[in-house]
Amino acid sequence: MLVFWTTLLLLLVAVKGKEVCYDRLGCFTDDIPWSGTVERPIARLPWTPQEINTRFLLYTKKNYDNFQEITAINPETIDYSNFNASKITRFITHGFIDQGEERWLSDMCKRMLQVEDVNCICIDWVKGSRCAYTQAANNIRVVGSEVAYFVNILKEKYGYSPSMVHFIGHSLGAHAAAELGRKIKGIGRISGLDPAQPYFQGTPPEIRLDKNDAEFVDVIHTDSAPVIPNLGFGMSQAIGHLDFYPNGGEEMPGCQKNPLSQIVDLDGIWEGTRDFVACNHLRSYKYYSDSIIFPDGFLGYPCGAYNLFEKGSCFPCPAVGCPPMGHYADRFKDSITSQFTKLYLNTGEAKNFTRWRYKSSVTLSGRSSVWGNINIALYGSGGNTRQYEIFKGRLRPGEIHTNLIDVELKVGTITKVKFLWNNIIINPTLPRLGATKITVQDGETGNVFHFCGSETVREDVLQTLTPC
Amino acid sequence: MDRLWILLLLTLALAESSIYPRGLFINLHNGELCLNSLQCKSCCCHRTKGLGLARCADKAAENQECSLKSLYGVYYKCPCERGLICDADRTIVGSIVNSDFGICKDPSNKISNEKEERKKHGD
């Protein structure tokens, strides 16, 4: 009997959990669901705010190149800085191992300041991020509270509305939003850039980023394969109002390079090494960064699954339009529903990552059927594209081949289309093939363009089709 | 020296190639390091500067800048896509320093343009 009671007591003590309290920020416990669950087996308490040393680095139009460090503990620093209380404030947070003075954060600020006048604040918590993952996953709670404290001070000092706050977090940083959203109601927008998967996927909403944390939550998933065995670092679960899955959300183009080519990167060895370790995971902020400059280059097509999107079942955009992934996703703030919206799109393999989707069908003509492939190039007011393969295989006259292409520029009004085919197997009979009709549909507007041609051409000769 | 290092690393990478199903020395994707256009899927090994590293890149589309085919196998501007010609004059200096640059044109367009020009001059 004594043994029974002792075990029960011990179990109770184990279940009870520990708690730490920090002035300004409040208490943090390691009770269920914060640890002791299947998703979070190891219990860790967040470090002290001093140890984590959350720093706020402000960039504005006035100080474009160098940041001003401000802190809510000494609110005078905000007065002395270039902070403008009548402008929107965007916070950018890094994730595990990363630091706030990393190039991508300031580059993102600079891009924003090119297109708008905002207070762009990079949050640095490097001292709390370079430790064991389980520890960092808990330290992020302190970071979130620090942001909440900062926003509260702004509210007291300037009557600053939380609806003017936009919080952008990459990886672990995205989950700081949980604490922020819990402490302050009515945050304008939270953008999760590939929110971290281990210790967060499948957990209750109070632990992780969730759609209730802000008025508008948009998420970009770029590395959503499972950690075991694929080593995906990002969440696959839809957790925002809008969830974007570029390239299906698991494997990003340009991330399958051989190790040498990956590390010896165009942007330097450091950027290359980062990509070598977590290319897919880091793509999320690269897409976001590009989207600041190209508002319509990342349109997300609402769809049930990626394979349906690839098949063309979700083409073109619905009448209300496609929400743009990244910076301008909040244009669709008013049309959000209570359900999760999954959006799919394809991107390029290197910057600029922008792509525009078109659907085209080609009607073949000619006399003989051959093994080969057919390509088309679009010409329009926005310029002309490269040649894109529509079909590869047996080419039979009279057949219609339809395919979707993601082209590298916005063609605008299409004025002509060029058709080209070539043999796969060398064919000594010198066959001729042509396209009698090509229709091209613009994914963004849904406009359909028709083009006709009468001639046939030999392989590797361009045939021009004109509107009809 | 730079080049030598890359070659050495490439050889080492090649030694590892059994792990990777994709090509490490041939059949390279865009953005991968190359020494010759033959290695690239896109058939263009491109570099921006003489001392820069070369990477596989897409061929030039119509109206884009291009180079004539050269013996070096590495280009400052990629050759044109299928069906297009690079509208440039081959010069001796250009062939040596690899700078026979032009613009990709559709040969059928070019012929019709020239005809029009001749007509104008005829009038």
Side-chain angles (χ1 to χ4, degrees):
Chain A
M1 201 63 195
L2 187 77
V3 178
F4 171 76
W5 284 114
T6 337
T7 8
L8 194 73
L9 196 76
L10 276 173
L11 273 172
L12 274 176
V13 168
V15 166
K16 185 67 180 43
K18 290 194 289 290
E19 193 180 67
V20 280
C21 293
Y22 303 124
D23 48 345
R24 292 189 296 117
L25 305 182
C27 295
F28 303 92
T29 142
D30 64 358
D31 221 341
I32 290 170
W34 293 100
S35 69
T37 61
V38 182
E39 293 87 14
R40 300 171 76 99
I42 300 165
R44 286 273 187 280
L45 285 166
W47 287 349
T48 64
Q50 291 75 31
E51 277 175 295
I52 294 167
N53 189 25
T54 315
R55 296 158 70 216
F56 293 86
L57 317 174
L58 171 75
Y59 291 86
T60 64
K61 279 215 157 171
K62 285 181 197 150
N63 57 312
Y64 187 80
D65 289 317
N66 298 307
F67 62 79
Q68 293 177 321
E69 191 170 338
I70 52 178
T71 167
I73 304 164
N74 301 312
E76 317 85 72
T77 54
I78 306 175
D79 284 332
Y80 298 144
S81 73
N82 291 332
F83 184 86
N84 187 339
S86 62
K87 299 285 190 308
I88 287 174
T89 304
R90 301 194 197 274
F91 293 93
I92 307 175
T93 320
H94 61 86
F96 186 45
I97 308 282
D98 220 355
Q99 58 163 337
E101 290 185 51
E102 196 61 54
R103 266 259 299 284
W104 70 265
L105 294 111
S106 56
D107 279 353
M108 200 184 275
C109 275
K110 281 174 190 170
R111 284 193 162 182
M112 283 174 188
L113 293 167
Q114 273 171 27
V115 297
E116 58 193 10
D117 192 358
V118 292
N119 308 303
C120 188
I121 299 176
C122 301
I123 301 171
D124 175 61
W125 54 286
V126 60
K127 288 189 177 162
S129 79
R130 292 198 176 150
C131 56
Y133 181 79
T134 47
Q135 185 62 55
N138 280 296
N139 287 347
I140 195 66
R141 295 159 70 184
V142 168
V143 179
S145 304
E146 289 274 15
V147 181
Y149 183 75
F150 191 95
V151 176
N152 265 332
I153 292 287
L154 291 182
K155 207 153 93 182
E156 280 170 27
K157 212 171 156 57
Y158 303 104
Y160 198 81
S161 161
S163 67
M164 284 167 76
V165 171
H166 177 196
F167 180 86
I168 303 166
H170 173 245
S171 186
L172 267 185
H175 295 298
E179 205 72 25
L180 172 66
R182 195 153 56 93
K183 293 203 163 145
I184 298 175
K185 290 287 157 229
I187 295 281
R189 180 182 172 194
I190 293 170
S191 301
L193 309 180
D194 210 27
Q197 181 188 137
Y199 270 56
F200 295 98
Q201 178 140 294
T203 58
E206 71 238 49
I207 294 177
R208 55 170 171 84
L209 169 66
D210 182 70
K211 65 199 301 187
N212 299 320
D213 290 331
E215 285 167 10
F216 179 68
V217 178
D218 61 310
V219 186
I220 301 175
H221 301 265
T222 57
D223 196 14
S224 60
V227 190
I228 303 161
N230 307 59
L231 219 69
F233 299 133
M235 277 175 105
S236 56
Q237 204 182 351
I239 46 172
H241 294 108
L242 298 179
D243 282 84
F244 294 91
Y245 295 84
N247 310 301
E250 295 195 350
E251 250 334 292
M252 298 301 116
C255 284
Q256 299 91 20
K257 281 187 248 168
N258 56 49
L260 179 73
S261 304
Q262 191 76 270
I263 292 169
V264 186
D265 191 76
L266 276 175
D267 296 326
I269 300 281
W270 176 234
E271 198 57 40
T273 311
R274 286 168 63 88
D275 273 348
F276 177 63
V277 177
C279 181
N280 292 322
H281 194 42
L282 305 184
R283 276 284 192 268
S284 54
Y285 68 69
K286 296 183 185 183
Y287 295 156
Y288 191 98
S289 204
D290 270 1
S291 76
I292 297 167
I293 298 174
F294 301 97
D296 57 359
F298 294 98
L299 294 184
Y301 292 76
C303 205
Y306 185 59
N307 59 349
L308 293 175
F309 166 77
E310 280 289 76
K311 258 193 270 166
S313 312
C314 310
F315 188 90
C317 286
V320 288
C322 283
M325 178 175 82
H327 198 55
Y328 300 96
D330 58 347
R331 286 182 184 170
F332 279 73
K333 202 174 179 170
D334 304 324
S335 56
I336 50 175
T337 58
S338 57
Q339 278 111 36
F340 295 102
T341 313
K342 287 194 173 186
L343 300 135
Y344 292 90
L345 65 148
N346 283 338
T347 66
E349 59 194 7
K351 61 182 182 189
N352 302 322
F353 292 99
T354 48
R355 284 289 185 273
W356 284 266
R357 199 164 176 81
Y358 291 87
K359 185 183 197 169
S360 51
S361 49
V362 179
T363 314
L364 288 176
S365 66
R367 248 177 282 159
S368 46
S369 77
V370 292
W371 286 96
N373 52 22
I374 48 179
N375 298 286
I376 62 162
L378 310 178
Y379 294 71
S381 47
N384 65 288
T385 69
R386 302 193 304 105
Q387 294 165 7
Y388 287 88
E389 189 175 282
I390 297 296
F391 180 75
K392 189 175 190 175
R394 190 100 184 147
L395 308 176
R396 294 187 185 85
E399 270 183 346
I400 300 171
H401 295 291
T402 307
N403 205 353
L404 292 125
I405 49 177
D406 297 290
V407 306
E408 77 279 17
L409 54 89
K410 193 181 180 180
V411 190
T413 309
I414 305 170
T415 50
K416 64 181 173 187
V417 175
K418 286 192 183 178
F419 168 87
L420 178 135
W421 73 277
N422 50 278
N423 282 311
I424 296 173
I425 309 157
I426 294 164
N427 192 333
T429 60
L430 305 179
R432 293 177 79 89
L433 268 179
T436 44
K437 193 168 166 58
I438 294 180
T439 45
V440 183
Q441 189 176 20
D442 185 341
E444 187 180 355
T445 57
N447 290 343
V448 184
F449 302 89
H450 298 275
F451 302 91
C452 295
S454 50
E455 45 167 4
T456 55
V457 286
R458 290 256 300 276
E459 73 165 326
D460 284 344
V461 176
L462 284 162
Q463 181 198 0
T464 307
L465 287 93
T466 48
C468 62
Chain B
M1 195 59 201
D2 226 2
R3 211 59 72 74
L4 212 81
W5 267 112
I6 297 301
L7 195 68
L8 185 77
L9 281 167
L10 265 178
T11 344
L12 283 175
L14 194 67
E16 266 196 311
S17 64
S18 56
I19 309 167
Y20 303 93
R22 286 178 321 91
L24 272 174
F25 200 74
I26 53 156
N27 222 1
L28 297 180
H29 284 260
N30 283 355
E32 296 193 296
L33 295 167
C34 53
L35 298 167
N36 194 291
S37 291
L38 294 171
Q39 292 176 268
C40 298
K41 245 182 183 172
S42 63
C43 300
C44 174
C45 187
H46 172 259
R47 65 177 175 208
T48 45
K49 285 175 294 208
L51 290 171
L53 296 170
R55 291 161 198 281
C56 296
D58 278 324
K59 283 190 161 185
E62 193 170 345
N63 300 322
Q64 284 181 347
E65 282 187 300
C66 55
S67 323
L68 294 175
K69 287 257 160 66
S70 87
L71 286 171
Y72 292 105
V74 183
Y75 297 95
Y76 296 109
K77 277 155 192 164
C78 282
C80 301
E81 289 185 309
R82 284 167 176 274
L84 298 167
I85 50 156
C86 191
D87 192 15
D89 294 322
R90 196 178 280 281
T91 59
I92 294 164
V93 177
S95 347
I96 293 165
V97 301
N98 200 2
S99 69
D100 285 325
F101 300 145
I103 305 281
C104 290
K105 292 265 165 74
D106 183 351
S108 58
N109 273 7
K110 210 191 158 204
I111 292 161
S112 58
N113 282 351
E114 271 168 13
K115 267 183 196 164
E116 271 170 31
E117 260 176 41
R118 252 177 242 152
K119 258 186 205 169
K120 268 185 202 167
H121 287 290
D123 291 336

